[in-house]
């Protein structure tokens, strides 16, 4: 409504045009009375409102963050996953947009009826496979059907993605997605009739220098029972109510308690030639570069976090932390 209100300068200018005859009041009235026509394609009826599209965008923004964290940790590489579009179109249009071969996972989402599709660009899939097998993650493989071993690797990635998808949707509906089949030919992945409407969430995925897209295809028939929950108001209120429940804190604390982090105490280092290494035998003494009274490095994960001294606790070997080593990532934290 704010756009329909004229400023004082605009009113003065309009009155001046009427006075000079430049503006015709009758003609303006005719234009106002003309019906405004909006084009509507009956072959592609809009099933999702703008608010529902916005809610789906926010839900999968959360999924993108979770999946991004997992891929970065699993591949030990610089990974970026972000939602670039959420649009509705017919299933036939979606299938025609996919290349052949593709990496397509057909998923069941009980208790919701029907199937959804998780499609990964073949370039991203082969970059992941190359990284898992010890490469740099470069996409040097021409698009082709995955081998059994390669499919097993991608299935593992998809299984993790399903867990993050379930977590992202938790506030709206609690479903348990599971993989039913994997296809390489889009024409064989017929989960709904070609003319049915679907919503496509496209996520731009970058692994190192390799870029591609991850598509999530959700038919309207799958979401129809929960359409009333796909509103910004419901999603925000569900988030607020979730934060008010103390049991969520207990769940997070329990997950952290079960998280395993490798801890290594480096006793010292020494240089040795290959010849000397091959001639080592039982009883040989190796001289380290540390003294008895030197502090040792305590490595958490892959970073040196503490200095410590060796000792015993009861009948077990132990170390005593003597100093905290601050890194650049620790500057904003409280010690």
């Amino acid at each position: 409504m704010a756009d329909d209100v004229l400023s004082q300068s605009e009113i003065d200018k309009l009155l001046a045009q009427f006075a000079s005859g430049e503006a015709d009041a009758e003609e303006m009235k005719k234009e106002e009375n003309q019906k405004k026509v909006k084009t509507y394609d009956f072959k592609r009826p809009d099933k999702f409102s703008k608010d529902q599209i916005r809610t789906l965008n926010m839900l999968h923004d959360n999924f993108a963050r979770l999946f991004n964290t997992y891929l970065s940790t699993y591949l030990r590489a610089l990974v970026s996953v972000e939602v670039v579009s959420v649009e509705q179109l017919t299933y036939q249009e979606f299938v025609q947009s996919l290349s052949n071969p593709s990496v397509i996972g057909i998923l069941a989402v009980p208790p919701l009826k029907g199937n959804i599709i998780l499609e990964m660009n073949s370039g991203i899939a082969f970059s992941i496979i190359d990284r898992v097998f010890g490469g740099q993650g470069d996409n040097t493989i021409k698009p082709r059907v995955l081998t059994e071993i390669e499919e097993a690797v991608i299935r593992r990635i998809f299984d993790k993605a399903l867990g993050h998808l379930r977590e992202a949707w938790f506030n709206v509906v609690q479903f348990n997605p599971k993989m039913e089949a994997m296809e390489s030919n889009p024409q064989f992945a017929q989960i709904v009739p070609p003319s049915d409407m679907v919503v496509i969430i496209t996520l731009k995925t970058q692994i190192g220098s390799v870029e591609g897209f991850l598509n999530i295809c959700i038919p309207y028939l799958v979401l129809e029972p929960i359409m009333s929950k796909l509103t910004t108001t419901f999603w925000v209120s569900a988030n607020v109510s979730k934060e008010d429940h103390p049991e969520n804190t207990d769940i997070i604390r329990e997950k952290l308690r079960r998280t395993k982090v490798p801890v290594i105490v480096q006793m010292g280092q020494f240089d040795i030639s290959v010849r000397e290494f091959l001639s080592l035998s039982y009883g040989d003494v190796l001289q380290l570069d540390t003294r008895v009274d030197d502090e040792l490095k305590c490595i958490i994960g892959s970073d040196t976090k503490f200095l410590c001294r060796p000792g015993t606790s009861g009948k077990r070997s132990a170390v005593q932390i003597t100093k905290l080593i601050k890194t650049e990532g620790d500057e904003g934290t409280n010690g």
Side-chain angles (χ1 to χ4, degrees):
M1 292 297 293
D3 295 338
D4 297 334
V5 180
L6 299 178
S7 65
Q8 186 59 47
S9 61
E10 290 173 328
I11 295 173
D12 294 340
K13 186 177 180 180
L14 189 59
L15 291 174
Q17 288 178 343
F18 279 127
S20 62
E22 293 179 14
D24 189 347
E26 292 298 325
E27 201 167 313
M28 293 178 65
K29 190 179 293 184
K30 288 180 182 179
E31 291 178 1
E32 184 67 26
N33 291 333
Q34 286 180 356
K35 293 183 178 180
K36 296 180 179 179
V37 179
K38 181 180 178 181
T39 304
Y40 187 83
D41 187 355
F42 286 93
K43 293 181 180 179
R44 295 182 55 182
D46 290 340
K47 294 287 190 178
F48 300 89
S49 67
K50 290 183 178 179
D51 190 35
Q52 289 167 340
I53 292 292
R54 191 181 304 112
T55 303
L56 288 169
N57 198 322
M58 290 189 292
L59 285 172
H60 292 91
D61 268 337
N62 190 21
F63 165 74
R65 286 192 294 271
L66 294 170
F67 193 48
N68 188 2
T69 302
Y70 163 71
L71 280 182
S72 300
T73 306
Y74 181 64
L75 300 178
R76 296 183 180 274
L78 186 61
V79 177
S80 173
V81 181
E82 59 179 347
V83 178
V84 292
S85 69
V86 178
E87 55 183 343
Q88 51 184 321
L89 62 160
T90 64
Y91 185 68
Q92 183 178 11
E93 290 173 323
F94 168 66
V95 171
Q96 290 176 345
S97 69
L98 301 180
S99 59
N100 185 12
S102 292
V103 182
I104 301 171
I106 300 176
L107 319 174
V109 283
L112 299 178
K113 295 181 180 179
N115 298 99
I116 70 175
I117 278 180
L118 183 62
E119 184 267 336
M120 179 181 289
N121 177 271
S122 59
I124 291 296
F126 283 119
S127 176
I128 291 174
I129 292 168
D130 183 65
R131 188 78 187 177
V132 170
F133 290 162
Q136 297 298 317
D138 299 327
N139 179 24
T140 57
I141 304 174
K142 293 182 179 180
R144 57 170 173 77
V145 178
L146 300 180
T147 65
E148 291 186 7
I149 295 177
E150 291 169 343
E151 185 176 313
V153 173
I154 297 302
R155 275 182 177 271
R156 181 175 182 179
I157 298 294
F158 275 13
D159 286 341
K160 289 294 183 179
L162 299 189
H164 298 318
L165 193 64
R166 179 177 62 248
E167 187 173 347
W169 278 80
F170 183 80
N171 290 334
V172 175
V173 59
Q174 298 181 33
F175 59 77
N176 187 29
K178 57 183 179 181
M179 182 81 69
E180 285 199 340
M182 285 192 71
E183 294 288 350
S184 58
N185 189 339
Q187 300 299 326
F188 295 155
Q190 294 295 331
I191 59 173
V192 290
S195 60
D196 278 18
M197 295 300 295
V198 296
V199 62
I200 308 299
I201 301 95
T202 301
L203 300 98
K204 181 181 177 182
T205 307
Q206 182 172 354
I207 302 174
S209 60
V210 179
E211 289 187 4
F213 293 100
L214 184 71
N215 290 309
I216 302 173
C217 171
I218 309 177
Y220 172 78
L221 293 176
V222 174
L223 296 178
E224 189 175 14
I226 59 167
M227 289 296 283
S228 60
K229 297 182 179 181
L230 290 178
T231 62
T232 309
T233 304
F234 181 90
W235 187 76
V236 171
S237 62
N239 270 315
V240 172
S241 62
K242 181 181 178 182
E243 291 174 358
D244 292 339
H245 293 166
E247 60 267 21
N248 292 311
T249 304
D250 296 333
I251 293 172
I252 295 173
R253 185 179 291 112
E254 178 62 20
K255 286 184 177 180
L256 289 174
R257 189 185 67 81
R258 290 182 295 171
T259 301
K260 294 182 179 180
V261 180
V263 179
I264 299 171
V265 176
Q266 190 178 85
M267 301 299 293
Q269 296 178 329
F270 60 89
D271 294 326
I272 187 172
S273 66
V274 175
R275 182 184 298 276
E276 291 172 328
F277 174 74
L278 294 175
S279 63
L280 287 177
S281 60
Y282 181 78
D284 289 344
V285 177
L286 301 175
Q287 185 174 354
L288 303 177
D289 61 353
T290 51
R291 298 165 58 90
V292 175
D293 55 351
D294 284 347
E295 293 177 315
L296 307 179
K297 292 180 180 179
C298 183
I299 302 171
I300 310 296
S302 59
D303 299 326
T304 302
K305 290 292 185 180
F306 306 103
L307 292 180
C308 59
R309 293 187 184 279
T312 58
S313 176
K315 295 182 179 180
R316 295 185 177 183
S317 298
V319 293
Q320 182 181 39
I321 303 298
T322 58
K323 186 178 180 181
L324 170 66
I325 299 177
K326 290 189 176 182
T327 60
E328 292 182 2
D330 299 328
E331 290 180 357
T333 61
N334 295 324

